[in-house]
C-alpha cells in the first residue's frame, strides 16, 4: 500500500499540509475561528484578564464554553494561563507572542467591520 494515513512532520522551512484532516495546524485554525475563540483573542488583545473579566467582556458566553475555549487556546500555545495561589484561586490569561501574531489580523478585521457598519446596524 502506498501513502500513509499519518501526516509526516514538516522539515525545517516546509509547511504543514493543512488540507490533511490530521494536520495539527488545522486544529489551531479550528480553535481560533470557533464561535468563541476569536472573541477571546480579541478580548485579550490589549490587556491580560482574569477569568471573570473575560466572561464579562464576552457577552453571551457561558462559563463552561469560556473554560473549554481557553483550555484549547492554552494548549495551542496562543494564550498563557497563570494561577495565583489564593482562596479561591485567581486565574489570569493573556496572549503569547504566537497569540498576538494570530490576534492582530483578527483585530484588524474586527476594526474594519465595525468602522464600515452604518449606525443603524451597530449593536
Amino acid at each position: 500500500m502506498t501513502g500513509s494515513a499519518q501526516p509526516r512532520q514538516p522539515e525545517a522551512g516546509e509547511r504543514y499540509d493543512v488540507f490533511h484532516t490530521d494536520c495539527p495546524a488545522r486544529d489551531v485554525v479550528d480553535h481560533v475561528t470557533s464561535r468563541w475563540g476569536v472573541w477571546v483573542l480579541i478580548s485579550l488583545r490589549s490587556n491580560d484578564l482574569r477569568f471573570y473579566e473575560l466572561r464579562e467582556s464576552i457577552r453571551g458566553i457561558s462559563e463552561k464554553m469560556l473554560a473549554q475555549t481557553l483550555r484549547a487556546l492554552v494548549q495551542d500555545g496562543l494564550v498563557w494561563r497563570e494561577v495565583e495561589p489564593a482562596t479561591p484561586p485567581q486565574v489570569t490569561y493573556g496572549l503569547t507572542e504566537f497569540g498576538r501574531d494570530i490576534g492582530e489580523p483578527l483585530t484588524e478585521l474586527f476594526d474594519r467591520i465595525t468602522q464600515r457598519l452604518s449606525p443603524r446596524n451597530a449593536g
Side-chain angles (χ1 to χ4, degrees):
M1 187 166 147
T2 61
S4 171
Q6 295 294 322
R8 66 178 181 79
Q9 291 294 325
E11 300 290 325
E14 284 187 300
R15 294 178 165 234
Y16 284 100
D17 179 6
V18 295
F19 293 102
H20 194 288
T21 57
D22 293 333
C23 178
R26 195 169 179 160
D27 289 337
V28 174
V29 171
D30 287 345
H31 296 152
V32 168
T33 60
S34 71
R35 178 172 181 186
W36 300 111
V38 68
W39 299 114
V40 168
L41 294 175
I42 289 172
S43 293
L44 291 172
R45 70 182 180 251
S46 53
N47 292 315
D48 302 339
L49 297 172
R50 293 214 170 111
F51 184 89
Y52 76 90
E53 293 171 322
L54 264 171
R55 191 183 69 226
E56 289 177 5
S57 72
I58 306 171
R59 306 244 192 259
I61 192 168
S62 68
E63 284 190 29
K64 178 182 177 183
M65 286 310 303
L66 179 56
Q68 288 177 356
T69 302
L70 285 166
R71 193 175 304 115
L73 295 174
V74 166
Q75 185 175 11
D76 292 338
L78 297 166
V79 171
W80 56 261
R81 177 182 189 265
E82 180 179 53
V83 180
E84 296 175 36
T87 306
Q90 295 180 347
V91 184
T92 304
Y93 295 89
L95 294 178
T96 64
E97 183 179 339
F98 183 32
R100 285 190 298 276
D101 285 347
I102 298 301
E104 188 175 317
L106 295 175
T107 298
E108 289 176 17
L109 176 64
F110 176 78
D111 290 344
R112 286 182 186 189
I113 290 169
T114 56
Q115 289 169 3
R116 301 278 272 175
L117 284 177
S118 65
R120 66 182 179 90
N121 292 336

